[in-house]
Amino acid sequence: MVQDYSWEESSDAKVRVYISALPLLAAMSQESYLYSIPKVDSNETLYGGDPKFLSEINKLCETLIGQILDQLKTLGRDEQSARRQASMAFSLFGVLLAHGDLRNNKLSQLFVNLWNLSQKHGHSETRVSVRTLDFLKLQSQQADMSHLSETVQRLALQTRT
């Protein structure tokens, strides 16, 4: 339905919908859901952990991320759109941080690329970027998050000189 809707050319709404759908799909891929209705079989009961179901969710996530990246490339052609591009890149970065498996090398590389894109033209919120980087450094020191160490080392803040 999102594909068929007539979106304004100058609007980022379609991409924002795609970015917002990723956490929903991440939640749907869990073996047990946070909420349930008593005496009602939910998708976790019907599909939880089913490889075919998880494969479909992964394909859908890949499609959405591809669409988002296509829009980011389109915005990259126009210097006037650099602020919008940085904002969208940081939004997707945040979703990957919260919901992605950064042990996956491909996803980890995308994570770093989105960070760099969000920092590229100096349009990122400096305080938010600094706090995010500090949080990631702190997280990477935890035993179960050691996979973040290498990734965090590849994230740099854009200087404002």
Side-chain angles (χ1 to χ4, degrees), residues 22-68:
L22 291 170
L24 172 67
L25 292 169
M28 290 174 62
S29 69
Q30 296 177 3
E31 286 189 31
S32 59
Y33 292 174
L34 188 57
Y35 302 104
S36 62
I37 301 171
K39 298 182 183 180
V40 174
D41 287 339
S42 64
N43 280 353
E44 72 179 314
T45 305
L46 301 171
Y47 307 111
D50 179 31
K52 188 175 179 181
F53 181 68
L54 294 176
S55 175
E56 288 299 316
I57 288 177
N58 283 336
K59 285 181 199 172
L60 191 50
C61 287
E62 287 176 12
T63 300
L64 292 177
I65 290 173
Q67 293 286 322
I68 295 165

Side-chain angles (χ1 to χ4, degrees), residues 104-149:
N104 176 312
N105 289 335
K106 190 176 173 182
L107 203 56
S108 178
Q109 184 59 50
L110 175 59
F111 185 74
V112 170
N113 290 345
L114 289 167
W115 173 268
N116 291 335
L117 186 58
S118 73
Q119 301 293 311
K120 186 176 179 179
H121 299 288
H123 293 299
S124 64
E125 293 274 342
T126 304
R127 285 180 36 188
V128 173
S129 295
V130 168
R131 287 182 179 173
T132 301
L133 196 52
D134 288 345
F135 169 77
L136 285 168
K137 287 177 182 176
L138 188 64
Q139 288 294 106
S140 70
Q141 294 172 359
Q142 294 182 18
D144 61 337
M145 300 295 277
S146 60
H147 63 278
L148 277 179
S149 295

